[in-house]
Amino acid sequence: MDVLDRMFEAAKAARDRAYAPYSRFPVGAVVVTETGALFVGCNVENAAYPNGLCAEAVAIGQMAVAGERRITDVMVLGAGDEPITPCGACRQRLLEFSRDDTRVHLVNISGRKDTVLLTDLLPRAFSRRQLDDLARENNQR
Ligand code: THU
């Protein structure tokens, strides 16, 4: 099985575990790291709505706790005809651990797929680069 097929199977299994009684919109996400490891997440909602977690955030948490830091590929799986895209906050979360060439595979359950670069989903993003630049300037003073 190639990596995209493995990601799709993993995303479906994760989505089946989603806890989404309020939106009834289960989502599965997978991140793949430079070592080739896959980490999955599903959305986990809460009666206090804003406390809900997106599938991508859960996958990133699993990756971080395993000691991994660099994402090469992301897959997000939701229902509907159009493949879904990560919310704004998750684009920023993903960017933290991504490279300039990190791909995001947007899929629906029938397997329809669209692949985009994360940097195209979040152009001119704020990142640690700006923080590092400022720290360097401050050190020079
Ligand atoms: N959701 C995700 O988990 N990931 C996305 O990329 C889009 C939205 C979740 C949040 C909420 O539990 C439900 O989908 C409806 O917004």
Side-chain angles (χ1 to χ4, degrees):
M1 228 197 277
D2 80 6
V3 68
L4 284 176
D5 291 333
R6 282 175 55 213
M7 289 176 81
F8 186 58
E9 291 309 314
K12 274 196 295 190
R15 182 175 173 276
D16 287 344
R17 294 268 163 84
Y19 178 71
Y22 306 107
S23 71
R24 298 188 189 284
F25 192 81
V27 179
V30 182
V31 299
V32 179
T33 57
E34 282 180 342
T35 65
L38 268 67
F39 299 94
V40 299
C42 61
N43 49 339
V44 183
E45 297 184 347
N46 192 277
Y49 296 167
N51 292 331
L53 299 172
C54 282
E56 295 90 327
V58 173
I60 290 169
Q62 298 226 74
M63 176 202 76
V65 103
E68 298 255 7
R69 293 290 185 265
R70 200 53 57 205
I71 299 172
T72 62
D73 288 87
V74 180
M75 185 174 280
V76 189
L77 169 66
D81 256 5
E82 280 300 307
I84 66 163
T85 64
C87 77
C90 283
R91 294 175 194 206
Q92 184 76 38
R93 290 190 178 104
L94 290 164
L95 188 83
E96 184 72 21
F97 300 104
S98 292
R99 314 188 303 200
D100 287 346
D101 63 349
T102 294
R103 293 165 295 263
V104 185
H105 310 283
L106 314 165
V107 291
N108 69 4
I109 314 178
S110 14
R112 204 173 135 198
K113 180 162 68 64
D114 196 4
T115 297
V116 292
L117 288 176
L118 180 61
T119 50
D120 286 338
L121 289 181
L122 198 61
R124 299 190 65 175
F126 182 77
S127 73
R128 61 181 296 168
R129 213 168 280 169
Q130 279 96 332
L131 297 176
D132 291 346
D133 286 349
L134 186 61
R136 212 169 301 118
E137 276 171 34
N138 286 339
N139 283 338
Q140 278 163 9
R141 279 200 204 117

